[in-house]
Amino acid sequence: MKVIKFGGTSVGTADAIRQVEKIVRNAGPGSLTVVSAFSCITNALTRTITLMRQGNAPEALAELDGVEERHRAMIAELGLPAATACFTADTVDRVRGLIPALTALGDVTPRAADTILATGETLSSRIIVDHFALQGLDATHIDAREVLITDASFGAAQPDTALIEEAVRCKLLPLLTRHRAVVAGGYIGATPQGVTTTLGRGGSDYSAALLAAAIGADECQIWTDVDGIMTCDPRIIPAARTVPRLTYDEAAELAFFGAKVLHPLTIFPAVRKGIPVVIRNTFAPDHPGTRVIAQNGNDRRLKAIAFQRGITVLHIRSNRMLGAYGFLAAVFTVFRDHRTPVDLVTTSEVSISVTIDDTAHLDAITVDLMRLGEVSVEQGRAIVSLIGDGMRETAGIGARFFNTLRTVNVGMVSVGASEVNISIVIAERDLEEAVRLIHNEFFDGGAA
Ligand code: ADP
Ligand code: ASP
Ligand code: MG
């Protein structure tokens, strides 16, 4: 059994959906197809919610009209039956009905937002399964909310593995044995009480991996718009090359440090069950893409560069740190209290620097940290990470790395405890140059 996941661009046009049908048909019997919303639809739904929060019901309704129109055009282009069109109209009408009241109340809760955001995957999965059926492919639909059970952390819901496994056994496995393909929307789930949740942006990859683990799939395929995981985001480095094989650790690190090609949590369910994750290009289906597995022999080469924009650095300086215990704990407690994850950390005898990307509570965090020492804040930063297993054992990489970046002002340096990454913080305006220099040094013209 395989799980085959298609991202937004892979289902963004009628031609792309026809291509998806061919890939699923070739995948053999009993595959679970997980699909994202059509490209840009989740963004449009996010804008709808923002407009509602701003009290602008007419614009929110207009945005939703655009979402409906896009699906209506797709249904027409694929020649789908009236039932598909009715389902779409009903689903959008239900959201439309929520807009005036929620906007007037000025209270679009995270729970209501998730119900609205789920519309994208609800519609795309239904349209795609109806297209499969029209093409004579034996396929059925399952509402992901029946199997992907989560807690109630709306917008970033945490899966409940035990409940997912039970629901999958009762509801999904019987369908997989009876049909050639089962189609589900990614990104969405529900609490045990049936309240709709979402896993966070880009979460369809995570859905695919969770469901792959629950059905005991022998492979989890992530089909996207590039030839697998590459040495860098090809949007910045057009000469980036596909990395044929990565370990789970390397892929997790790349995703965590910003390579958008995989949602950062995707790898964990796969690791738990030892399922290979394969990243492939919907538009070049003969390309083998990237295979992510537990062990990659003794391949100690550098694999890729990841980067993240929009980073904020906080420096906390205090003489109380000297020889004291409990100081770092006090600093991290501030971030915990404000539910803000810290990404990189460096310390000296009298100072600690940390990076965050969620600045929602920055002011409150700064005030609390000022009780512990002098605080300075730098915004508009970026993190660049070089990733590859066994980096610490390879002599000279650090020297080459910093020599390459002579012309760039490097703020913080962190060598990951996982031994697969070295990360630096630089000004966001230097990001593209730094990435180009590192890629030229380590990846151009063959293996690193
Ligand atoms: P999908 O809609 O299929 O989930 P995403 O847009 O989420 O696709 O992810 C694919 C994109 O990730 C690519 O188009 C590419 O620009 C970007 N990307 C970032 N880093 C990498 C990388 N190292 N390798 C490949 N793609 C990357
Ligand atoms: N549609 C969702 C998003 O755009 C989930 C996904 O595509 O993975 O974030
Ligand atoms: Mg994605």
Side-chain angles (χ1 to χ4, degrees):
M1 269 185 305
K2 289 185 175 60
V3 170
I4 319 175
K5 178 261 170 178
F6 296 92
T9 26
S10 299
V11 294
T13 63
D15 278 345
I17 292 180
R18 291 188 190 104
Q19 176 70 10
V20 163
E21 190 257 325
K22 282 197 202 118
I23 293 169
V24 172
R25 200 180 273 278
N26 287 334
S31 67
L32 173 65
T33 303
V34 174
V35 295
S36 287
F38 299 160
S39 51
C40 306
I41 291 296
T42 311
N43 288 347
L45 294 167
T46 304
R47 277 195 302 275
T48 307
I49 293 162
T50 305
L51 288 162
M52 290 166 70
R53 289 187 170 139
Q54 291 166 350
N56 192 342
E59 289 282 325
L61 287 165
E63 193 72 52
L64 191 67
D65 288 346
V67 168
E68 180 166 27
E69 186 43 43
R70 174 96 183 277
H71 290 85
R72 221 184 298 153
M74 186 75 91
I75 290 167
E77 208 176 327
L78 292 170
L80 297 178
T84 319
C86 285
F87 174 84
T88 302
D90 286 350
T91 306
V92 175
D93 268 348
R94 244 173 292 167
V95 177
R96 196 174 274 122
L98 296 173
I99 291 179
L102 289 180
T103 307
L105 281 172
D107 186 24
V108 188
T109 58
R111 172 178 167 152
D114 271 3
T115 296
I116 296 171
L117 289 168
T119 315
E121 272 72 8
T122 304
L123 293 177
S124 67
S125 58
R126 177 62 193 263
I127 289 171
I128 287 164
V129 79
D130 287 356
H131 171 71
F132 286 0
L134 194 67
Q135 298 308 306
L137 180 65
D138 168 28
T140 192
H141 183 263
I142 185 163
D143 188 327
R145 289 170 287 203
E146 289 190 29
V147 285
L148 218 144
I149 312 301
T150 70
D151 69 4
S153 316
F154 298 103
Q158 306 284 325
D160 184 320
T161 311
L163 292 181
I164 292 174
E165 289 198 347
E166 190 188 320
V168 159
R169 193 163 35 79
C170 300
K171 297 178 183 167
L172 177 56
L173 286 177
L175 294 178
L176 284 168
T177 54
R178 282 207 302 274
H179 296 275
R180 195 168 167 89
V182 178
V183 181
Y187 177 56
I188 64 179
T191 66
Q193 293 73 35
V195 180
T196 299
T197 56
T198 68
L199 301 178
R201 294 304 306 269
S204 295
D205 300 332
Y206 192 25
S207 301
L210 287 164
L211 293 171
I215 67 174
D218 40 41
E219 194 167 287
C220 177
Q221 300 179 354
I222 307 286
W223 290 79
T224 183
D225 57 0
V226 287
D227 291 338
I229 297 183
M230 313 189 74
T231 47
C232 188
D233 186 341
R235 278 182 222 178
I236 301 273
I237 305 286
R241 292 176 280 112
T242 301
V243 184
R245 270 175 308 281
L246 285 171
T247 63
Y248 287 134
D249 281 349
E250 290 170 329
E253 205 85 357
L254 261 172
F256 181 77
F257 282 98
K260 190 186 167 220
V261 63
L262 270 191
H263 182 279
L265 298 176
T266 310
I267 293 301
F268 297 105
V271 171
R272 200 159 35 81
K273 294 279 175 86
I275 300 169
V277 178
V278 185
I279 296 91
R280 306 201 39 191
N281 189 346
T282 305
F283 307 101
D286 294 331
H287 193 290
T290 299
R291 207 172 167 77
V292 182
I293 42 180
Q295 293 291 335
N296 193 10
N298 211 15
D299 185 353
R300 297 263 143 146
R301 279 174 299 181
L302 297 176
K303 300 303 187 311
I305 303 167
F307 57 83
Q308 263 176 297
R309 296 186 166 88
I311 297 296
T312 296
V313 182
L314 291 111
H315 304 280
I316 306 107
R317 206 184 148 76
S318 169
N319 289 337
R320 278 163 51 201
M321 234 181 118
L322 264 177
Y325 52 84
F327 186 82
L328 293 183
V331 168
F332 287 117
T333 302
V334 171
F335 290 94
R336 189 200 59 193
D337 289 350
H338 294 287
R339 302 170 69 89
T340 299
V342 165
D343 294 328
L344 294 186
V345 182
T346 60
T347 62
S348 77
E349 289 209 329
V350 290
S351 72
I352 166 166
S353 303
V354 303
T355 69
I356 59 174
D357 70 350
D358 175 359
T359 51
H361 306 291
L362 181 60
D363 291 344
I365 289 171
T366 310
V367 168
D368 285 356
L369 289 175
M370 274 157 51
R371 295 199 190 103
L372 301 171
E374 250 171 68
V375 181
S376 60
V377 178
E378 290 174 21
Q379 291 187 287
R381 308 276 115 183
I383 299 178
V384 182
S385 308
L386 181 61
I387 284 146
D389 218 345
M391 182 157 334
R392 278 199 205 156
E393 294 150 35
T394 317
I397 286 185
R400 264 173 84 193
F401 188 69
F402 290 108
N403 197 32
T404 306
L405 293 173
R406 294 187 297 285
T407 52
V408 177
N409 189 9
V410 176
M412 269 169 79
V413 181
S414 157
V415 180
S418 57
E419 297 197 38
V420 294
N421 116 41
I422 174 168
S423 295
I424 52 166
V425 177
I426 57 176
E428 209 170 310
R429 62 175 177 280
D430 293 334
L431 176 68
E432 296 204 7
E433 191 199 345
V435 168
R436 249 192 312 274
L437 289 170
I438 301 169
H439 198 271
N440 273 346
E441 171 68 21
F442 290 103
F443 299 104
D444 264 7

